[in-house]
Amino acid sequence: MELKLKLTKKSHACVRLEKDGRTLAIDPGAFSEADAAVGADAILVTHEHPDHFAEDRLRAALEANPAAELWTLRSVAEQIAPAFPGRVHTVGEGDAFTAAGFDVQVHGQLHAVIHPDIPRITNVGYLVDGSVFHPGDALTLPDVPVDTLMLPVMAPWNKISEVIDYVRELAPRLAIDVHDALLTDLARPVYDRMLTPARVGAEHARLAPGESVTL
């Protein structure tokens, strides 16, 4: 029998996945709770921007669980690997690995364009258990089907038309908002109206920080 995933939304871009008593955290950044990754057995970070990578969050998690490990791209790994030898793994597009019992595939190479004057940095997305895809700060299209998309709804680098087209092209069963800390409470219903199933072709969900769903 296939094990179900429990997904818990943390603030902004961070989510936690639980399966068979083990936990995987993705992108515990500075806009997320201080303990967003504490208790996780494995941690994934998509890129070096502080709302996705906060060294204090990672240190807290890795110190709390001496068996916890981190998978991330080189720009992040170089900053934290010296403090945790053997526990930080560098990955890039096309890699596949198992982290705390979760099967992970890496997709994507670059952060979305913020402005032509601003150099693009590296960014990777993670497909977990062939089901849940977290793209980080990019509208990456994996070359495999995605059931549940963690959808970056509001960022300095995107606009709602791009978000809508991204969901349409990727065609997940379910899109769940992330990268939403910059939205005020007044704006959230506006985005909900833009991302209806009739418009994007997928079920859309917005979870409050701490709220969970079983996939």
Side-chain angles (χ1 to χ4, degrees), residues 98-123:
T98 300
F102 296 86
D103 293 325
V104 184
Q105 298 176 11
V106 184
H107 297 270
Q109 299 181 37
L110 291 172
H111 192 287
V113 174
I114 301 172
H115 187 275
D117 290 350
I118 300 174
R120 295 176 74 181
I121 62 170
T122 51
N123 176 94

Side-chain angles (χ1 to χ4, degrees), residues 12-13 26-32 43-59 62 70 72-81 88:
H12 196 50
I26 306 176
D27 277 3
F31 293 174
S32 301
I43 307 163
L44 311 178
V45 174
T46 62
H47 66 288
E48 65 195 84
H49 282 162
D51 56 326
H52 297 256
F53 161 53
E55 187 172 340
D56 62 329
R57 268 66 165 167
L58 295 183
R59 284 182 174 273
L62 293 170
L70 167 68
T72 187
L73 37 66
R74 185 174 304 280
S75 58
V76 172
E78 289 177 345
Q79 298 184 56
I80 197 163
V88 179

